[in-house]
């Protein structure tokens, strides 16, 4: 078993990882790091509120996801195929 461990480790090292650099928002690499603050400051601070633009974006996404879900609720098998399936398979004798 121990003979195969190095081979297994080498195979794991050859795995293809997704390109994470392409998922960055443009310009994020030139932005300064956020300022670190105590947790108490975060817990007792003002409650964040969404801007109207943020709300519109979220509501637009909700609408798109609901319409996508409605499309997924549609029947998978059409009526003609369901009727054929209900008749069953004839015995070829």
């Amino acid at each position: 078993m121990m003979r195969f461990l190095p081979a297994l480790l080498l195979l794991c090292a050859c795995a293809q990882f997704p390109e994470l650099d392409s998922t960055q928002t443009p310009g994020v690499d030139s932005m300064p790091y956020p300022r670190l603050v105590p947790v108490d400051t975060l817990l007792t601070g003002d409650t964040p509120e969404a801007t109207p633009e943020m709300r519109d974006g979220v509501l637009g996404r909700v609408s798109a996801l609901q319409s996508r879900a409605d499309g997924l609720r549609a029947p998978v098998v059409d009526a003609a195929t369901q009727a054929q399936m209900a008749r069953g398979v004839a015995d070829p004798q």
Side-chain angles (χ1 to χ4, degrees):
M1 181 69 180
M2 292 302 284
R3 311 183 274 187
F4 297 111
L5 185 61
L8 180 64
L9 291 174
L10 284 174
L11 283 175
C12 292
C14 296
Q16 181 95 21
F17 290 99
E19 288 293 327
L20 296 178
D21 294 335
S22 64
T23 62
Q24 283 185 356
T25 305
V28 75
D29 53 349
S30 62
M31 298 295 293
Y33 281 100
R35 187 173 55 91
L36 297 177
V37 294
V39 172
D40 294 335
T41 305
L42 297 174
L43 296 175
T44 60
D46 295 334
T47 305
E49 294 183 20
T51 63
E53 295 82 18
M54 290 171 63
R55 186 173 190 273
D56 291 342
V58 169
L59 290 178
R61 181 167 172 147
V62 165
S63 175
L65 288 172
Q66 283 176 339
S67 65
R68 184 176 173 197
D70 290 340
L72 292 173
R73 286 189 196 101
V76 177
V77 180
D78 61 270
T81 306
Q82 278 184 338
Q84 183 180 4
M85 289 170 28
R87 285 191 302 268
V89 178
D91 194 6
Q93 289 182 20

